[in-house]
Amino acid sequence: MLGSARVRLNRWQQVAVAVGSAAGALLDPSRADLIAALGETTGMPAFERVLKRMKRSPEGRAILLEQPRVISVNVGYAWDLPENTFGAAYAKFMGSRNFSPDDRPPVRFMETDELPYVAMRAREVHDFWHTLFGLPTNLMGESALKVIEFEQMYLPMCLMSVIGGSARFNGKQRKLFFQHYLPWAVRAGMQCTDLMCVYYEQHFHEDLDYVRRKCEKCNR
């Protein structure tokens, strides 16, 4: 169960939150709470499609049934796994950046029983995807990952993040992104397995390259 209180919004309030969040996130892309609010208020149809796909997948159904949370108490053992494993690679990614899995903002603007968990799961597996694709957390890497997330989930927030992020590139970065990162990210997002239907925690002990091969062409 998700422990945070959720806020009931009418249609106009959803529009107001979405517009305000979008404006704030463009001014300060580090505001994870604003990006989260934008995703929730604009992403209902996308999350509904993801939910349907998860219900058709054996691993997806297991995730929905057990509702695992990517929080320190559940994934802390990854720091003790062998170096070649997916779990160890995730732990190294998080530790090298001083990230905590507990830092994700809660879901606030979804009222149904299942969609808040799907939205939270999408938020919490973001760092798993960084690990799988070997993408850095700079503006270029985050923008490329948002392209993959859009291809996987069709969340409007992802597309808006790419537009906002690319507007901040200098000339050299913009050329590199549109000539290399963007085409690669589009292909990767289309060719990979349904990444929301992967029970990542059950693959922590597996070899990183093996997990990448199972997810299909997750290497750059």
Side-chain angles (χ1 to χ4, degrees):
M1 295 292 293
L2 299 180
S4 60
R6 297 198 288 273
V7 180
R8 184 185 298 272
L9 300 177
N10 62 37
R11 181 174 297 180
W12 291 110
Q13 288 171 325
Q14 285 184 331
V15 171
V17 171
V19 172
S21 299
L26 283 173
L27 292 173
D28 185 2
S30 67
R31 287 287 302 274
D33 58 330
L34 296 178
I35 295 173
L38 178 61
E40 292 170 35
T41 51
T42 62
M44 186 77 71
F47 288 126
E48 288 174 344
R49 288 192 294 268
V50 172
L51 176 61
K52 290 178 181 178
R53 297 202 313 263
M54 292 178 75
K55 287 182 175 180
R56 294 195 297 264
S57 159
E59 280 196 47
R61 287 194 299 272
I63 293 167
L64 292 173
L65 177 64
E66 299 172 19
Q67 295 199 356
R69 294 294 311 280
V70 186
I71 54 179
S72 295
V73 68
N74 294 340
V75 300
Y77 70 95
W79 273 253
D80 299 320
L81 290 174
E83 185 176 354
N84 65 304
T85 61
F86 169 56
Y90 163 72
K92 182 178 180 180
F93 169 85
M94 298 292 283
S96 65
R97 292 161 174 82
N98 201 28
F99 287 172
S100 168
D102 302 325
D103 289 341
R104 295 291 175 189
V107 174
R108 294 181 294 159
F109 302 116
M110 289 187 170
E111 300 171 20
T112 65
D113 291 334
E114 292 178 301
L115 288 184
Y117 177 74
V118 174
M120 195 71 221
R121 182 68 176 175
R123 196 169 294 166
E124 291 181 342
V125 299
H126 178 84
D127 292 319
F128 292 155
W129 294 12
H130 267 293
T131 304
L132 281 174
F133 291 100
L135 286 169
T137 53
N138 57 24
L139 188 57
M140 190 84 68
E142 292 289 357
S143 296
L145 190 53
K146 280 290 181 281
V147 173
I148 295 172
E149 289 178 340
F150 180 76
E151 290 289 341
Q152 286 277 316
M153 294 183 286
Y154 295 108
L155 280 169
M157 174 272 294
C158 295
L159 186 58
M160 287 184 264
S161 295
V162 173
I163 294 171
S166 60
R168 294 173 177 269
F169 293 154
N170 60 35
K172 183 177 180 180
Q173 289 173 323
R174 188 171 294 109
K175 181 178 179 180
L176 178 62
F177 181 76
F178 284 103
Q179 288 187 354
H180 175 66
Y181 279 87
L182 179 61
W184 167 79
V186 170
R187 290 194 304 271
M190 293 176 64
Q191 293 172 352
C192 269
T193 188
D194 190 338
L195 295 174
M196 283 295 293
C197 294
V198 177
Y199 204 144
Y200 295 96
E201 298 90 330
Q202 294 184 348
H203 302 286
F204 268 16
H205 66 285
E206 296 175 352
D207 182 84
L208 174 61
D209 289 335
Y210 174 70
V211 176
R212 283 173 166 165
R213 287 195 300 272
K214 286 204 301 187
C215 289
E216 299 179 10
K217 302 181 181 177
C218 286
N219 288 303
R220 263 189 301 132

